[in-house]
């Protein structure tokens, strides 16, 4: 820190750099979101529907529709992850506007974590049970306990909790700043 630079100048410069970097990253988040939505639409909706309508099948046989329902249910976790990309895009937009720390910005970080957590939980618990029910299995409880889902859930949970802590600290700091500004 030079003699002429104050902590406020250093903070302002770092916010400007963060905003510039976020404005470069936001289009990437938008592209990834669009690509994810197109892939989800093609893989889980258009592909299965076209298979049901363009393959030879016996209309009385429910297996084709069962397969379609399985595909649509399997689309839930990727759709929730796409929501996480949407929230990431929003977070980068706030950073690009210079809103580095604030309750709303911290809340967006929490939503990204929530998306990761919910996608993992639905993939592990909801999807296998709905598919079992659609296939005619009514007994027991199924779950898809895979390492990647556990890691995704852990990352989501920790990001949500970190965002909650950061949001609380930011709210206290904002209140202290407001009190300090009234004194000055």
């Amino acid at each position: 820190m030079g003699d002429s630079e104050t902590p406020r100048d250093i903070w302002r410069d770092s916010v400007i750099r963060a905003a510039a970097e976020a404005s470069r990253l936001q289009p990437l988040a938008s592209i990834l979101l669009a690509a994810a939505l197109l892939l989800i639409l093609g893989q889980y909706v258009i592909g299965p529907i076209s298979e049901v309508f363009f393959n030879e099948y016996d209309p009385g046989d429910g297996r084709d529709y069962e397969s379609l329902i399985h595909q649509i249910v399997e689309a839930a976790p990727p759709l929730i992850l796409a929501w996480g990309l949407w929230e990431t895009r929003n977070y980068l937009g706030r950073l690009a506007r210079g809103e580095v720390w604030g309750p709303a910005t911290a809340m967006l970080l929490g939503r990204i974590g929530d998306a990761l957590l919910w996608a993992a939980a639905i993939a592990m618990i909801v999807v296998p049970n709905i598919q079992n029910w659609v296939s005619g299995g009514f007994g027991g409880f199924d779950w898809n306990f895979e390492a990647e889902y556990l890691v995704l859930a852990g990352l989501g949970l920790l990001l949500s909790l970190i965002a909650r802590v950061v949001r609380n600290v930011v709210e206290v700091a904002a209140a202290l700043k407001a009190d300090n500004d009234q004194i000055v």
Side-chain angles (χ1 to χ4, degrees):
M1 183 161 87
D3 292 338
S4 63
E5 285 185 304
T6 65
R8 184 169 288 205
D9 293 336
I10 294 169
W11 173 255
R12 188 190 67 239
D13 291 345
S14 67
V15 167
I16 290 169
R17 284 193 306 275
E21 188 65 28
S23 66
R24 285 191 292 273
L25 290 174
Q26 192 178 17
L28 175 61
S30 297
I31 291 167
L32 291 171
L33 175 63
L37 290 174
L38 288 173
L39 286 171
I40 292 167
L41 183 65
Q43 182 176 350
Y44 295 104
V45 179
I46 295 172
I49 288 173
S50 66
E51 281 189 30
V52 167
F53 289 109
F54 296 116
N55 287 337
E56 291 184 29
Y57 69 98
D58 179 9
D61 184 13
R63 281 182 280 153
D64 291 321
Y65 292 106
E66 182 180 307
S67 174
L68 177 63
I69 291 170
H70 278 250
Q71 289 290 320
I72 290 171
V73 169
E74 286 177 3
L79 281 171
I80 293 170
L81 290 172
W83 165 53
L85 278 172
W86 174 263
E87 296 295 355
T88 301
R89 188 183 159 284
N90 290 340
Y91 176 78
L92 290 169
R94 284 192 178 273
L95 288 180
R97 291 188 301 273
E99 299 174 36
V100 177
W101 292 112
T105 307
M107 185 177 65
L108 286 171
L109 277 178
R111 286 183 186 167
I112 295 165
D114 292 346
L116 298 175
L117 180 59
W118 279 104
I122 288 173
M124 288 172 59
I125 298 167
V126 175
V127 169
N129 284 291
I130 289 178
Q131 288 179 337
N132 186 31
W133 176 71
V134 168
S135 299
F138 294 104
F141 177 77
D142 289 337
W143 66 323
N144 189 4
F145 192 74
E146 305 263 343
E148 57 268 21
Y149 297 139
L150 185 60
V151 170
L152 193 64
L155 286 171
L157 177 63
L158 288 172
L159 186 56
S160 294
L161 293 174
I162 290 167
R164 182 175 296 156
V165 169
V166 168
R167 186 173 61 230
N168 290 340
V169 169
V170 167
E171 288 171 351
V172 168
L176 289 174
K177 183 183 180 310
D179 287 346
N180 194 20
D181 288 346
Q182 286 180 351
I183 293 171
V184 175

